[in-house]
Amino acid sequence: MGPLYSEHPDLKLSINLFAGHFNDRRIIDDIKEIYGNSAIAYQQLVVEVTERMPLEDLELARKLIAEIQALGVRVALDDVGTGHGGMAYLQKLGIDIIKIDKMFIDAIGTDDSSTTIVDSMVELADNLGMGIIAEGVEKVEQVERLRELGVTAAQGYLFAPPLPGKLYIELAQALTGERDETGSLQKRPDPLRAGLWDLRASFAVPPCCGLCSRPEAGPGCPPTGVATAWIHPGRSQWP
């Protein structure tokens, strides 16, 4: 995976953390040890903090997140709108990206309250200078409604299901280019839904995968897989 990421700096590697990672500085040491001399740059990493599990010490978590961000790693708040943190996490943790939970996306366009909530989240993210990603997108109609609301990126089965590492690499290569006779990747237009969305690739790592020294995971750990993101037409900024 390293050579692919080295050649394509737009690719992202998302690492799902849980509340226990923010009880001490070991997660900082893990990131430095694993990625400090890696072909995957810090700027390609996104660590995801779920809102579903409460953080024991918000002040300590804020300091650790600041250290992570100082490396060039971005921090996302996952499952926004479903958990314990709410606005306090957005206010106190210095989050870079918010991810709108699937339960709001499922009802978008059919339930006025869900649409209003998503609209409010987008406005809040814009005002705070945060990126925003919609989770669990499964229908083209949802993409169209999200675009109207100003959401810049989305992920879900409409774009690709979770994939194991080998298949993810094949998909990422298909999205970023194709190999010529020398083995070099050649850029090509997006092969899927050209003109409707721009597919990018992002590999997701659960906290129980052994990539850090803290293999324990919280309940509901997502599988290792791929999330492909749709970028709002006319906006080149990756969330």
Side-chain angles (χ1 to χ4, degrees), residues 5 22 33 81 102 148 157 205 212:
Y5 273 67
F22 296 93
E33 180 180 350
K102 183 180 185 299
E148 292 173 0
Y157 275 76
V205 180
C212 69

Side-chain angles (χ1 to χ4, degrees), residues 11 154 158-160 171 175-176 190-193 196-201 227-231 238:
L11 293 178
L158 178 62
F159 312 110
L171 176 62
L175 295 176
T176 55
D190 175 12
L192 302 174
R193 299 283 185 175
L196 181 55
W197 55 67
D198 175 23
L199 285 177
R200 306 288 179 89
T228 55
W230 163 79
I231 306 301
W238 179 273

Side-chain angles (χ1 to χ4, degrees), residues 1 29 52 76 105 134-135 140 144 146 148 160 186 192 207 210 225:
M1 191 177 294
D29 297 333
R52 294 181 186 274
I105 305 305
E135 298 183 281
V140 173
E144 293 170 344
L146 289 167
E148 292 173 0
Q186 302 297 311
L192 302 174

Side-chain angles (χ1 to χ4, degrees), residues 92-199:
K92 296 181 180 180
L93 296 181
I95 298 295
D96 299 303
I97 302 165
I98 64 175
K99 302 183 71 175
I100 304 174
D101 191 78
K102 183 180 185 299
M103 75 173 188
F104 298 110
I105 305 305
D106 285 343
I108 198 170
T110 61
D111 178 70
D112 289 342
S113 61
S114 291
T115 301
T116 300
I117 290 171
V118 172
D119 196 14
S120 299
M121 288 182 183
V122 173
E123 183 178 1
L124 178 65
D126 284 342
N127 290 338
L128 296 177
M130 298 175 180
I132 190 164
I133 299 174
E135 298 183 281
V137 175
E138 298 177 351
K139 301 176 182 178
V140 173
E141 293 77 14
Q142 291 172 331
V143 170
E144 293 170 344
R145 186 67 179 121
L146 289 167
R147 177 190 287 144
E148 292 173 0
L149 293 174
V151 174
T152 59
Q155 63 184 48
Y157 275 76
L158 178 62
F159 312 110
L163 298 172
K166 183 177 183 294
L167 291 180
Y168 163 76
I169 291 174
E170 292 176 0
L171 176 62
Q173 288 174 339
L175 295 176
T176 55
E178 56 186 3
R179 295 188 181 277
D180 59 19
E181 54 270 7
T182 68
S184 299
L185 281 169
Q186 302 297 311
K187 290 186 180 297
R188 68 177 181 180
D190 175 12
L192 302 174
R193 299 283 185 175
L196 181 55
W197 55 67
D198 175 23
L199 285 177

Side-chain angles (χ1 to χ4, degrees), residues 14-18 46-50 76-78 99 135:
S14 295
I15 303 170
N16 290 271
L17 304 182
F18 76 109
V46 179
V47 297
E48 298 191 6
V49 185
T50 179
L77 183 61
D78 200 7
K99 302 183 71 175
E135 298 183 281

Side-chain angles (χ1 to χ4, degrees), residues 18-87:
F18 76 109
H21 284 109
F22 296 93
N23 291 336
D24 55 58
R25 294 191 71 263
R26 280 186 287 175
I27 186 61
I28 309 292
D29 297 333
D30 288 336
I31 292 173
K32 290 180 178 179
E33 180 180 350
I34 296 169
Y35 298 104
N37 296 311
S38 168
I40 301 174
Y42 287 137
Q43 289 74 18
Q44 292 175 291
L45 300 179
V46 179
V47 297
E48 298 191 6
V49 185
T50 179
E51 194 183 277
R52 294 181 186 274
M53 298 180 66
L55 296 169
E56 293 182 9
D57 187 335
L58 276 182
E59 184 59 30
L60 175 59
R62 176 67 189 101
K63 292 178 180 178
L64 294 174
I65 285 174
E67 285 194 59
I68 291 172
Q69 291 169 322
L71 296 173
V73 179
R74 305 186 76 192
V75 179
L77 183 61
D78 200 7
D79 309 314
V80 169
T82 65
H84 299 77
M87 296 299 104

